[in-house]
Amino acid sequence: MSSSNAQNKIDVSDELSITLELNNPSSVINNATAQVRIQGGAPPYQYKWSNQNTSLNSNRAEGLIEGMDHSVTVSDSNGNTVSKTFKIPAKSITEIFNSNVQPAVDFLGAFLFWDPFASFGLYDPVVYIAKDDIGLPHIKNTAQEYHLKQWLVADGAEVVKNQEIAILEIDGLETKIITDFDGKLEHIASEGAHISIRRKPTSTDEPLLGTIQFENPRPLLHPNGDVVKNTIPFIVIWLMLGSIFFTLRLKFINIRGFRHSLGLAKGKYDDPNAPGSITHFQAMATAVSATVGLGNIAGVAVAISLGGAGATFWMFMAGFFGMSLKFAECSMGVKYRFIDAEGRIFGGPMNYLRYGLEKRNLKKLGKFLAALFAILGVGASFGGGNMLQSNQAFKIVSEQIPILEGQGFWFGIGFAVLVGIVIIGGIKSIAKFTEKVVPIMAILYILGCLVVIGGNIDNIGGAFLAIIDGAFSADALKGGFIGVLIVGLQRAAFSNEAGVGSAAIAHSASKTNNPIADGFASLIEPLIDTMLVCTMTALVLIFTGIHKEGGGMGGVELTSAAFGSVVSWFPVVLAVAVFLFAFSTMVSWSYYGMRSWTYLFGRSKNGELLYKLLYLVFVVLGASVSLGAVLSFADMMILAMSFPNIAGLFILAPEIYADMNVYLDKLKKGKLYINPKFAK
């Protein structure tokens, strides 16, 4: 697409006016630019953009969403201001689609990530900092030679905002360093020092010239001047409330039932004549394959880089409490399943929300919650469970195999064929695949992590000290204790899907006469997903120190850098693991989405086939098309599934508790079926 330019001029006075140059350079989404041209006024100028990633000192904003409203306010040194709201026209189909979906993302995000505590004034959400780092000027060239020619202010002296404090020579040209804040200057680089930079200028491990220590902590600001705030998202509160409630209500069944969970996973209680299609282990593997995905690698890396090492502790604790919530939903998923004359199984939250609540004289509420869950389930399966996975898998694999660059469509076709081979056969085929692949991919990844940790074993003391200290220290990161806590809890809640209800769909196909047995079988899933795989990712980042280098690097890039720091070719191992993680997630989510689809549109085989074909089309779309807002919305739908699901489980809690006690009594009295292979 050719560039499009628009001229918009505002005359506030004879002294200050601006012209905006708007540019949409291509059909790629979210790459529009806007540049301000100023006439008159008194420099220096300040530019307040609605885009939080654009600096107050920049007259150019990049990465803007086409078709959406944006704004800029320009101020001069005399206090004159001029503002402009503008929209860069969306021209390509993907741009138009993206801009139309973005408002829905904003709406759903406002609900999911609403902070009730801050809204009612129960705490101060503002993030404060005690110092400001004085870095090197960000020059666009990839290689720079810096010479700190002279400090203009002595070490330990007080400085004021906009004061000149040093003279820096960059490739032979002098520039003066000016402070952004009042405070006490502390030198880090020595006068006369030569600094060579040969990396991305956004990398956070660049050498610092010095720091400004504040007398009192100040709010941390986004580049555009907006105050940075920590939030305690309502979705995290909801998920953790459910996890803690069922842990207490079921009297720490996550601890009491863990040994029995291992027995079920081994097949000790598998009755080949019980109704259902798959074994307890296959159900567990299917559920784990859906949750162990890119979030365990990319998501954890971002969480640790933002929350520091201490986030690992809270992530681990969230996985621990999530075990009890998984127990509750998987037990009910089996109890309220329906098996037709052909042996096809229909189960999951849709069933226990509708029929479980109907038993308690809440028929209308049950039907509403079940339908809402199914709608969200279909959307989530196409987006977060499918397109997001294929999109990221292509990105990671193409980095290791350069010949694939720009071949997203053909990668998607090949990926769709592989997925189709597995999912066309239904839950039995999916279960046979996951029971083989899940152990392999988990072992492959964990072994890789252990090698990296082993290569940095000297850091073991400092690493665990950083985790414990960071988890409880109020100054653990920008934002303090609340920031660390929420980052850890949020990553775990999003990763293991406890409370989302997806695992209940997989377990509903389990061969069992005792629904509670699948509750016990599911206990091990958050342990594998969060307490093991996520924790291993975190330890790799902490042991290598890569988590401190978050700026300018994506989650997968951080983890890849940690792997590559020990063995140069280890990122290839990571790429293979990520591909398997993404593939297994897509396979399992195809079943979750299909069961949501059949609840909404009927149980016909033709309907199921139509869903599977649509699912494979979305595999190709995910790998070949940029659909930023669409993917964000669909990924949010996974989280939104927890609202109807946990609400229903709260109502069914007495039933779950009673059924659990009956089952435990049978177990204690030896009345449960034991597979002859395990009989003494």
Side-chain angles (χ1 to χ4, degrees), residues 56-87:
L56 286 168
N57 299 318
S58 176
N59 70 336
R60 177 182 172 86
E62 300 179 345
L64 303 179
I65 301 175
E66 302 83 0
M68 298 289 293
D69 286 335
H70 304 280
S71 66
V72 62
T73 297
V74 180
S75 306
D76 70 2
S77 60
N78 291 329
N80 298 313
T81 63
V82 56
S83 299
K84 175 65 177 175
T85 298
F86 60 94
K87 180 185 292 185

mmCIF file of all heavy atoms in Angstrom, residues 56-87:
data_model
loop_
_atom_site.group_PDB
_atom_site.id
_atom_site.type_symbol
_atom_site.label_atom_id
_atom_site.label_comp_id
_atom_site.label_asym_id
_atom_site.label_seq_id
_atom_site.Cartn_x
_atom_site.Cartn_y
_atom_site.Cartn_z
ATOM 1 N N LEU A 56 7.684 12.300 25.859
ATOM 2 C CA LEU A 56 7.282 13.709 25.928
ATOM 3 C C LEU A 56 8.175 14.598 25.061
ATOM 4 O O LEU A 56 7.784 15.697 24.677
ATOM 5 C CB LEU A 56 7.344 14.199 27.378
ATOM 6 C CG LEU A 56 6.246 13.714 28.337
ATOM 7 C CD1 LEU A 56 6.628 14.037 29.771
ATOM 8 C CD2 LEU A 56 4.915 14.345 27.977
ATOM 9 N N ASN A 57 9.371 14.105 24.756
ATOM 10 C CA ASN A 57 10.316 14.896 23.968
ATOM 11 C C ASN A 57 10.268 14.570 22.482
ATOM 12 O O ASN A 57 11.033 15.143 21.701
ATOM 13 C CB ASN A 57 11.741 14.675 24.486
ATOM 14 C CG ASN A 57 11.893 15.103 25.935
ATOM 15 O OD1 ASN A 57 11.384 16.134 26.329
ATOM 16 N ND2 ASN A 57 12.582 14.290 26.724
ATOM 17 N N SER A 58 9.388 13.646 22.097
ATOM 18 C CA SER A 58 9.355 13.199 20.701
ATOM 19 C C SER A 58 8.224 13.877 19.931
ATOM 20 O O SER A 58 7.076 13.882 20.374
ATOM 21 C CB SER A 58 9.183 11.679 20.637
ATOM 22 O OG SER A 58 9.061 11.252 19.296
ATOM 23 N N ASN A 59 8.560 14.420 18.783
ATOM 24 C CA ASN A 59 7.526 15.022 17.936
ATOM 25 C C ASN A 59 6.937 14.008 16.962
ATOM 26 O O ASN A 59 6.146 14.354 16.094
ATOM 27 C CB ASN A 59 8.102 16.207 17.152
ATOM 28 C CG ASN A 59 9.090 15.762 16.073
ATOM 29 O OD1 ASN A 59 9.691 14.689 16.163
ATOM 30 N ND2 ASN A 59 9.263 16.595 15.064
ATOM 31 N N ARG A 60 7.323 12.723 17.147
ATOM 32 C CA ARG A 60 6.857 11.671 16.241
ATOM 33 C C ARG A 60 6.375 10.463 17.049
ATOM 34 O O ARG A 60 7.075 9.987 17.952
ATOM 35 C CB ARG A 60 7.983 11.246 15.296
ATOM 36 C CG ARG A 60 7.647 10.094 14.349
ATOM 37 C CD ARG A 60 8.875 9.743 13.517
ATOM 38 N NE ARG A 60 8.679 8.531 12.726
ATOM 39 C CZ ARG A 60 8.118 8.496 11.522
ATOM 40 N NH1 ARG A 60 7.708 9.630 10.965
ATOM 41 N NH2 ARG A 60 7.987 7.362 10.869
ATOM 42 N N ALA A 61 5.172 9.993 16.742
ATOM 43 C CA ALA A 61 4.614 8.805 17.386
ATOM 44 C C ALA A 61 4.543 7.677 16.367
ATOM 45 O O ALA A 61 4.111 7.891 15.222
ATOM 46 C CB ALA A 61 3.223 9.090 17.941
ATOM 47 N N GLU A 62 4.986 6.491 16.782
ATOM 48 C CA GLU A 62 4.979 5.329 15.899
ATOM 49 C C GLU A 62 4.149 4.210 16.519
ATOM 50 O O GLU A 62 3.813 4.241 17.704
ATOM 51 C CB GLU A 62 6.414 4.844 15.655
ATOM 52 C CG GLU A 62 7.316 5.883 15.016
ATOM 53 C CD GLU A 62 8.733 5.382 14.822
ATOM 54 O OE1 GLU A 62 9.088 4.344 15.441
ATOM 55 O OE2 GLU A 62 9.496 6.028 14.076
ATOM 56 N N GLY A 63 3.815 3.204 15.706
ATOM 57 C CA GLY A 63 3.065 2.053 16.199
ATOM 58 C C GLY A 63 1.626 2.374 16.558
ATOM 59 O O GLY A 63 1.047 1.746 17.452
ATOM 60 N N LEU A 64 1.027 3.345 15.880
ATOM 61 C CA LEU A 64 -0.351 3.739 16.169
ATOM 62 C C LEU A 64 -1.338 2.815 15.456
ATOM 63 O O LEU A 64 -1.055 2.285 14.378
ATOM 64 C CB LEU A 64 -0.587 5.188 15.739
ATOM 65 C CG LEU A 64 0.340 6.243 16.370
ATOM 66 C CD1 LEU A 64 -0.011 7.619 15.835
ATOM 67 C CD2 LEU A 64 0.247 6.197 17.879
ATOM 68 N N ILE A 65 -2.505 2.646 16.061
ATOM 69 C CA ILE A 65 -3.547 1.789 15.482
ATOM 70 C C ILE A 65 -4.315 2.580 14.436
ATOM 71 O O ILE A 65 -4.847 3.662 14.716
ATOM 72 C CB ILE A 65 -4.512 1.284 16.565
ATOM 73 C CG1 ILE A 65 -3.758 0.499 17.635
ATOM 74 C CG2 ILE A 65 -5.615 0.429 15.949
ATOM 75 C CD1 ILE A 65 -4.614 0.068 18.812
ATOM 76 N N GLU A 66 -4.384 2.038 13.223
ATOM 77 C CA GLU A 66 -5.124 2.685 12.151
ATOM 78 C C GLU A 66 -6.632 2.651 12.451
ATOM 79 O O GLU A 66 -7.143 1.672 12.977
ATOM 80 C CB GLU A 66 -4.859 1.993 10.818
ATOM 81 C CG GLU A 66 -3.399 1.957 10.406
ATOM 82 C CD GLU A 66 -2.596 0.820 11.018
ATOM 83 O OE1 GLU A 66 -3.202 0.039 11.798
ATOM 84 O OE2 GLU A 66 -1.393 0.697 10.724
ATOM 85 N N GLY A 67 -7.326 3.732 12.106
ATOM 86 C CA GLY A 67 -8.771 3.763 12.277
ATOM 87 C C GLY A 67 -9.240 4.099 13.672
ATOM 88 O O GLY A 67 -10.449 4.089 13.942
ATOM 89 N N MET A 68 -8.326 4.385 14.590
ATOM 90 C CA MET A 68 -8.673 4.709 15.973
ATOM 91 C C MET A 68 -8.320 6.173 16.265
ATOM 92 O O MET A 68 -7.414 6.738 15.651
ATOM 93 C CB MET A 68 -7.915 3.803 16.944
ATOM 94 C CG MET A 68 -8.241 2.332 16.808
ATOM 95 S SD MET A 68 -9.894 1.939 17.413
ATOM 96 C CE MET A 68 -9.689 2.245 19.169
ATOM 97 N N ASP A 69 -9.038 6.778 17.221
ATOM 98 C CA ASP A 69 -8.744 8.152 17.600
ATOM 99 C C ASP A 69 -7.469 8.228 18.443
ATOM 100 O O ASP A 69 -7.262 7.417 19.349
ATOM 101 C CB ASP A 69 -9.910 8.733 18.412
ATOM 102 C CG ASP A 69 -11.117 9.049 17.539
ATOM 103 O OD1 ASP A 69 -10.928 9.283 16.329
ATOM 104 O OD2 ASP A 69 -12.247 9.058 18.069
ATOM 105 N N HIS A 70 -6.626 9.209 18.141
ATOM 106 C CA HIS A 70 -5.422 9.491 18.911
ATOM 107 C C HIS A 70 -5.387 10.998 19.168
ATOM 108 O O HIS A 70 -6.144 11.760 18.553
ATOM 109 C CB HIS A 70 -4.163 9.069 18.144
ATOM 110 C CG HIS A 70 -4.159 7.638 17.721
ATOM 111 N ND1 HIS A 70 -3.842 6.614 18.570
ATOM 112 C CD2 HIS A 70 -4.444 7.057 16.520
ATOM 113 C CE1 HIS A 70 -3.927 5.458 17.925
ATOM 114 N NE2 HIS A 70 -4.288 5.704 16.683
ATOM 115 N N SER A 71 -4.506 11.415 20.060
ATOM 116 C CA SER A 71 -4.412 12.842 20.345
ATOM 117 C C SER A 71 -2.990 13.225 20.707
ATOM 118 O O SER A 71 -2.179 12.388 21.114
ATOM 119 C CB SER A 71 -5.359 13.230 21.486
ATOM 120 O OG SER A 71 -4.942 12.630 22.706
ATOM 121 N N VAL A 72 -2.695 14.524 20.557
ATOM 122 C CA VAL A 72 -1.418 15.072 20.968
ATOM 123 C C VAL A 72 -1.647 16.505 21.462
ATOM 124 O O VAL A 72 -2.476 17.231 20.912
ATOM 125 C CB VAL A 72 -0.387 15.051 19.816
ATOM 126 C CG1 VAL A 72 -0.841 15.918 18.645
ATOM 127 C CG2 VAL A 72 0.985 15.512 20.312
ATOM 128 N N THR A 73 -0.955 16.865 22.528
ATOM 129 C CA THR A 73 -0.985 18.233 23.041
ATOM 130 C C THR A 73 0.444 18.753 23.068
ATOM 131 O O THR A 73 1.330 18.118 23.660
ATOM 132 C CB THR A 73 -1.576 18.287 24.463
ATOM 133 O OG1 THR A 73 -2.927 17.840 24.425
ATOM 134 C CG2 THR A 73 -1.530 19.702 25.007
ATOM 135 N N VAL A 74 0.676 19.858 22.412
ATOM 136 C CA VAL A 74 2.014 20.451 22.338
ATOM 137 C C VAL A 74 2.065 21.682 23.243
ATOM 138 O O VAL A 74 1.160 22.525 23.207
ATOM 139 C CB VAL A 74 2.367 20.840 20.892
ATOM 140 C CG1 VAL A 74 3.762 21.462 20.826
ATOM 141 C CG2 VAL A 74 2.295 19.616 19.988
ATOM 142 N N SER A 75 3.123 21.782 24.051
ATOM 143 C CA SER A 75 3.316 22.932 24.942
ATOM 144 C C SER A 75 4.665 23.565 24.636
ATOM 145 O O SER A 75 5.633 22.875 24.311
ATOM 146 C CB SER A 75 3.295 22.492 26.409
ATOM 147 O OG SER A 75 2.128 21.760 26.700
ATOM 148 N N ASP A 76 4.719 24.895 24.761
ATOM 149 C CA ASP A 76 6.018 25.555 24.615
ATOM 150 C C ASP A 76 6.479 26.074 25.975
ATOM 151 O O ASP A 76 5.783 25.925 26.987
ATOM 152 C CB ASP A 76 5.968 26.663 23.564
ATOM 153 C CG ASP A 76 5.147 27.869 24.002
ATOM 154 O OD1 ASP A 76 4.645 27.871 25.155
ATOM 155 O OD2 ASP A 76 4.999 28.801 23.197
ATOM 156 N N SER A 77 7.633 26.692 26.015
ATOM 157 C CA SER A 77 8.224 27.100 27.292
ATOM 158 C C SER A 77 7.483 28.264 27.944
ATOM 159 O O SER A 77 7.684 28.553 29.122
ATOM 160 C CB SER A 77 9.698 27.479 27.094
ATOM 161 O OG SER A 77 9.809 28.551 26.172
ATOM 162 N N ASN A 78 6.616 28.952 27.177
ATOM 163 C CA ASN A 78 5.823 30.051 27.730
ATOM 164 C C ASN A 78 4.485 29.573 28.290
ATOM 165 O O ASN A 78 3.691 30.393 28.758
ATOM 166 C CB ASN A 78 5.564 31.121 26.664
ATOM 167 C CG ASN A 78 6.833 31.859 26.280
ATOM 168 O OD1 ASN A 78 7.733 32.018 27.108
ATOM 169 N ND2 ASN A 78 6.910 32.306 25.032
ATOM 170 N N GLY A 79 4.240 28.261 28.213
ATOM 171 C CA GLY A 79 2.994 27.723 28.735
ATOM 172 C C GLY A 79 1.860 27.697 27.742
ATOM 173 O O GLY A 79 0.724 27.326 28.085
ATOM 174 N N ASN A 80 2.114 28.082 26.499
ATOM 175 C CA ASN A 80 1.077 27.986 25.466
ATOM 176 C C ASN A 80 0.899 26.530 25.047
ATOM 177 O O ASN A 80 1.885 25.782 24.945
ATOM 178 C CB ASN A 80 1.461 28.831 24.246
ATOM 179 C CG ASN A 80 1.583 30.301 24.584
ATOM 180 O OD1 ASN A 80 0.711 30.873 25.236
ATOM 181 N ND2 ASN A 80 2.684 30.921 24.143
ATOM 182 N N THR A 81 -0.325 26.130 24.804
ATOM 183 C CA THR A 81 -0.592 24.748 24.401
ATOM 184 C C THR A 81 -1.538 24.711 23.209
ATOM 185 O O THR A 81 -2.349 25.635 23.006
ATOM 186 C CB THR A 81 -1.235 23.937 25.546
ATOM 187 O OG1 THR A 81 -2.501 24.506 25.884
ATOM 188 C CG2 THR A 81 -0.342 23.904 26.773
ATOM 189 N N VAL A 82 -1.427 23.650 22.440
ATOM 190 C CA VAL A 82 -2.357 23.398 21.348
ATOM 191 C C VAL A 82 -2.575 21.894 21.282
ATOM 192 O O VAL A 82 -1.628 21.115 21.395
ATOM 193 C CB VAL A 82 -1.824 23.940 20.000
ATOM 194 C CG1 VAL A 82 -0.453 23.366 19.682
ATOM 195 C CG2 VAL A 82 -2.795 23.643 18.872
ATOM 196 N N SER A 83 -3.835 21.473 21.145
ATOM 197 C CA SER A 83 -4.175 20.049 21.149
ATOM 198 C C SER A 83 -4.843 19.663 19.835
ATOM 199 O O SER A 83 -5.483 20.497 19.174
ATOM 200 C CB SER A 83 -5.131 19.725 22.304
ATOM 201 O OG SER A 83 -4.531 20.008 23.553
ATOM 202 N N LYS A 84 -4.705 18.415 19.486
ATOM 203 C CA LYS A 84 -5.321 17.903 18.268
ATOM 204 C C LYS A 84 -5.685 16.437 18.436
ATOM 205 O O LYS A 84 -4.875 15.628 18.896
ATOM 206 C CB LYS A 84 -4.351 18.063 17.087
ATOM 207 C CG LYS A 84 -4.855 17.454 15.785
ATOM 208 C CD LYS A 84 -6.095 18.156 15.266
ATOM 209 C CE LYS A 84 -6.528 17.585 13.926
ATOM 210 N NZ LYS A 84 -7.802 18.186 13.463
ATOM 211 N N THR A 85 -6.905 16.108 18.110
ATOM 212 C CA THR A 85 -7.331 14.709 18.024
ATOM 213 C C THR A 85 -7.327 14.317 16.563
ATOM 214 O O THR A 85 -7.800 15.079 15.704
ATOM 215 C CB THR A 85 -8.745 14.538 18.618
ATOM 216 O OG1 THR A 85 -8.718 14.888 19.998
ATOM 217 C CG2 THR A 85 -9.214 13.098 18.484
ATOM 218 N N PHE A 86 -6.818 13.154 16.254
ATOM 219 C CA PHE A 86 -6.688 12.747 14.853
ATOM 220 C C PHE A 86 -6.938 11.255 14.702
ATOM 221 O O PHE A 86 -6.876 10.484 15.660
ATOM 222 C CB PHE A 86 -5.300 13.101 14.312
ATOM 223 C CG PHE A 86 -4.165 12.454 15.050
ATOM 224 C CD1 PHE A 86 -3.629 11.249 14.615
ATOM 225 C CD2 PHE A 86 -3.610 13.050 16.181
ATOM 226 C CE1 PHE A 86 -2.574 10.635 15.291
ATOM 227 C CE2 PHE A 86 -2.558 12.455 16.866
ATOM 228 C CZ PHE A 86 -2.041 11.254 16.425
ATOM 229 N N LYS A 87 -7.217 10.854 13.494
ATOM 230 C CA LYS A 87 -7.429 9.445 13.157
ATOM 231 C C LYS A 87 -6.715 9.167 11.847
ATOM 232 O O LYS A 87 -6.893 9.886 10.866
ATOM 233 C CB LYS A 87 -8.921 9.138 13.022
ATOM 234 C CG LYS A 87 -9.222 7.682 12.676
ATOM 235 C CD LYS A 87 -10.715 7.463 12.429
ATOM 236 C CE LYS A 87 -11.500 7.644 13.710
ATOM 237 N NZ LYS A 87 -12.945 7.306 13.513
#
